[in-house]
Amino acid sequence: GIRQSKSKSRWHARYFAAGLIAFFGADCFTPSFRHRRPTGRVASAVGGATVASVLDDAFAPGFMATGEDWSYAKSSERPDRPLSNAQLAVLTARSDRAGFLQLGLQYGQILTGALLIAGTGMFGRMLGTCLMGFGLVTMGHCAQHECVHNTAFRTRRINNAVSWLVSLPRLTNPIWERMLHKDHHTYTNDPARDPEIMAGSPATGLRGLRSSRAAAAGRIVGYSGFDLVPEKKAKFVKADLQRSCRLQLGFYAAIILLVAYTNSWAAAAKYWLLPMLMGEPLHAFFHIADHLNCEHDYKNGRANTRTTPAPSFVRFNMWNMNYHAEHHLYPSMPFHQLPAAHDALQGHFAHQSSSAVSMHRDLVAKWIPHFQERLKLGKEKVETEWVPCAE
């Protein structure tokens, strides 16, 4: 009996170790998502466009914009954008196949995690909680994000439907997120106009739920969940957002009634709450510094956002959003084209860490003297002078 118990424990340990290796270092062998060198057309020399850009017609500045190139100016008028029209024609091509394959594989990972949680081994349950939680959180943020940009799939109808479904576990609403995210791209890292910077972070969990409750009642708020969006902006989305949030809250009410009727509170905690609590910090580890300690200049897309390489399993779950500088420079590029864009734009970005661990180590080393300066000189002086700011 003791020998059998030791053997079982060893297998559990190997099982959990294999999961950790897969999470932090193993390659994902799905061909569509392996980091590949770009095709010959994309890998050609990067050259600035001196004529109208193929993205000019998609130009969409800020909150009320309807195009997909969310920017402060047309692409041909932005000196920080170096790719040619030939390259952009390749790199902005969308694919329903890539979108559905990514979505299906991620749902498969979530189901695998749920099956492991249902097992009897402690290490299997721990691994399952991590797999399911990381999948749910990244789907709620990264899949939603791609659909909000209308780049996950070829048509807006599919993007809208998928964005609503994947947003449910994380308690956020995609119409509300799109409304605020447009300004985030137009005024990236501008302390006075970027809604993510003003609120401290994008909303998750209870803040997202609070915003949905407010929108259902006709009050449109920002990322904090309390700050009212000016009516001149809110009127563009109020009707659609109110309808969507009421449907969302009705769904949650139905789930709560079902859980209460079947007395499934333990299952709800086991298959939703605990995985979400585990998934959020894992996601934040790779996502938290996308703009931290980058220039506060929304007109310089090469310096206001950070790209951080990540293991292929993480890239897969994050829909390649670790290539964040590439995404912000060209927000109309779909997720499956970002690895090729990363290769084509090598050497053009001011902030690119060698790994997530290196990124955190460098930031901590810089933030220690930053906080010392804040204590010594005062917050406002340091916040405006520590890194370059926009005019």
Side-chain angles (χ1 to χ4, degrees):
I2 296 176
R3 182 180 301 173
Q4 185 178 10
S5 177
K6 287 183 178 179
S7 176
K8 189 175 182 180
S9 297
R10 282 197 298 270
W11 277 107
H12 284 162
R14 293 171 185 172
Y15 197 27
F16 188 60
L20 291 178
I21 292 171
F23 185 83
F24 286 107
D27 278 329
C28 177
F29 292 105
T30 307
S32 296
F33 304 107
R34 189 181 298 140
H35 183 87
R36 296 177 295 183
R37 301 297 298 179
T39 63
R41 287 183 296 168
V42 178
S44 60
V46 176
T50 57
V51 296
S53 170
V54 294
L55 298 180
D56 282 354
D57 289 341
F59 170 54
F63 214 87
M64 296 80 73
T66 56
E68 266 79 55
D69 188 26
W70 302 346
S71 171
Y72 70 89
K74 289 185 177 181
S75 188
S76 59
E77 299 170 359
R78 288 190 55 168
D80 58 336
R81 287 187 171 182
L83 295 182
S84 67
N85 280 339
Q87 291 171 301
L88 290 173
V90 176
L91 291 171
T92 56
R94 303 173 198 173
S95 168
D96 284 344
R97 179 184 178 278
F100 281 117
L101 180 59
Q102 167 79 22
L103 191 68
L105 288 173
Q106 200 160 14
Y107 271 124
Q109 174 188 316
I110 291 169
L111 177 60
T112 300
L115 293 174
L116 288 173
I117 293 172
T120 56
M122 180 183 67
F123 290 110
R125 290 197 297 269
M126 290 175 62
L127 177 59
T129 301
C130 290
L131 284 174
M132 188 175 187
F134 193 56
L136 284 172
V137 170
T138 53
M139 182 174 283
H141 177 250
C142 302
Q144 180 209 62
H145 171 268
E146 279 297 299
C147 291
V148 159
H149 276 277
N150 293 312
T151 53
F153 304 94
R154 293 177 63 87
T155 65
R156 288 195 177 191
R157 178 176 295 181
I158 298 177
N159 281 301
N160 289 339
V162 172
S163 68
W164 196 84
L165 290 173
V166 299
S167 300
L168 291 172
R170 206 164 178 246
L171 310 180
T172 59
N173 185 278
I175 297 178
W176 175 74
E177 176 62 29
R178 180 184 288 118
M179 170 190 73
L180 296 171
H181 199 59
K182 288 179 177 180
D183 269 1
H184 169 61
H185 270 272
T186 303
Y187 305 112
T188 300
N189 222 24
D190 183 339
R193 286 182 285 187
D194 184 340
E196 287 193 11
I197 304 301
M198 291 189 289
S201 68
T204 59
L206 295 180
R207 279 201 293 169
L209 186 61
R210 187 163 60 232
S211 72
S212 294
R213 288 178 55 194
R219 296 174 60 253
I220 312 302
V221 297
Y223 279 128
S224 72
F226 295 105
D227 54 313
L228 283 175
V229 171
E231 183 60 27
K232 65 180 181 179
K233 291 186 173 183
K235 66 182 181 181
F236 289 92
V237 297
K238 179 176 285 188
D240 289 342
L241 181 56
Q242 188 174 38
R243 182 166 52 250
S244 178
C245 288
R246 286 176 176 176
L247 183 61
Q248 177 188 11
L249 294 175
F251 174 84
Y252 294 148
I255 292 296
I256 291 173
L257 288 175
L258 179 63
V259 170
Y261 180 76
T262 58
N263 194 27
S264 302
W265 300 107
K270 187 176 180 180
Y271 292 102
W272 174 70
L273 182 59
L274 289 178
M276 292 295 290
L277 291 175
M278 182 71 75
E280 285 289 355
L282 293 175
H283 173 238
F285 181 80
F286 295 97
H287 165 68
I288 195 170
D290 288 342
H291 305 284
L292 190 63
N293 195 30
C294 296
E295 279 75 350
H296 294 313
D297 184 356
Y298 68 92
K299 294 183 179 181
N300 188 354
R302 302 189 198 183
N304 59 28
T305 307
R306 175 180 286 100
T307 275
T308 305
S312 54
F313 177 78
V314 175
R315 294 199 306 269
F316 160 73
N317 274 273
M318 293 184 66
W319 292 58
N320 287 324
M321 276 301 107
N322 59 294
Y323 298 122
H324 213 64
E326 293 81 356
H327 163 70
H328 262 265
L329 192 60
Y330 293 100
S332 57
M333 282 183 185
F335 71 98
H336 61 277
Q337 301 284 13
L338 289 175
H342 174 72
D343 288 329
L345 290 164
Q346 281 290 342
H348 283 270
F349 295 114
H351 302 285
Q352 181 169 324
S353 303
S354 59
S355 68
V357 173
S358 173
M359 174 264 293
H360 282 285
R361 183 175 61 245
D362 293 343
L363 287 175
V364 169
K366 292 176 181 177
W367 273 78
I368 290 175
H370 169 62
F371 279 112
Q372 291 175 338
E373 288 294 300
R374 283 180 59 164
L375 292 173
K376 180 180 177 181
L377 301 175
K379 176 181 177 181
E380 289 189 7
K381 181 177 177 60
V382 175
E383 292 297 330
T384 55
E385 294 184 1
W386 187 48
V387 291
C389 295
E391 297 177 0

